[in-house]
Amino acid sequence: MPEIHLLRPDHAPALLAFERENRAYFAASVSDRGEEYFARFDERLRALLAEQEAGSCRFHVLVGAGGEVLGRVNLVDVADGGAELGYRIAERAAGRGLATWAVRKLCERAAEEYGLTVLRAVTTLDNAASRAVLARTGFTVVGETRVAGRPGLAYLHRLTAA
């Protein structure tokens, strides 16, 4: 399995390559990041690292043996013992259990290292793969929502430290 690293400035080239290579793949299930994201990538990365330094977010990359980014698993809006989980896996790494593994590992880290007690997540109704990952990793449906204007489900996972 790859390693999960907290996002650092030196991940920039591999992260940008990951986002570019998978743009069309991701756009099939989540909103496209848009041209400005890529044009201002360095500025955006600095902003993410500042949010992370402030403690309001924890951004992670899944790094393969060759240093390539295979996925992202993030905790955003960290406050009051909770956060929202988001993740995306490269098309070439999808379907092999990587998302399930990464979400499990991040749930452990969230409880043990970050002191969080609850995680929230959302996904669209038509994203069966993401719904399966959330179900396999202990998230339960708590309601309906909209995700980028599409019908979706809201999930909750109460964490326990190991």
Side-chain angles (χ1 to χ4, degrees), residues 49-112:
L49 292 169
E51 287 180 66
Q52 184 167 271
E53 183 68 27
S56 61
C57 298
R58 300 270 191 247
F59 302 105
H60 303 82
V61 289
L62 306 176
V63 179
E68 72 282 13
V69 171
L70 297 173
R72 301 180 72 167
V73 186
N74 301 319
L75 299 172
V76 298
D77 298 332
V78 176
D80 301 322
E84 184 163 332
L85 170 78
Y87 54 92
R88 51 179 57 199
I89 302 298
E91 182 175 20
R92 66 186 172 108
R96 300 187 305 206
L98 183 59
T100 298
W101 174 82
V103 169
R104 278 191 183 123
K105 290 295 184 188
L106 195 58
C107 287
E108 291 171 12
R109 186 176 285 185
E112 296 169 7

Side-chain angles (χ1 to χ4, degrees), residues 20-56:
R20 282 187 173 142
E21 289 165 12
N22 293 284
R23 184 176 182 182
Y25 174 66
F26 294 145
S29 58
V30 295
S31 296
D32 183 62
R33 294 194 185 278
E35 290 300 323
E36 187 168 330
Y37 174 86
F38 295 95
R40 301 178 75 156
F41 180 81
D42 290 337
E43 182 181 325
R44 177 72 180 131
L45 180 61
R46 283 192 299 276
L48 293 177
L49 292 169
E51 287 180 66
Q52 184 167 271
E53 183 68 27
S56 61

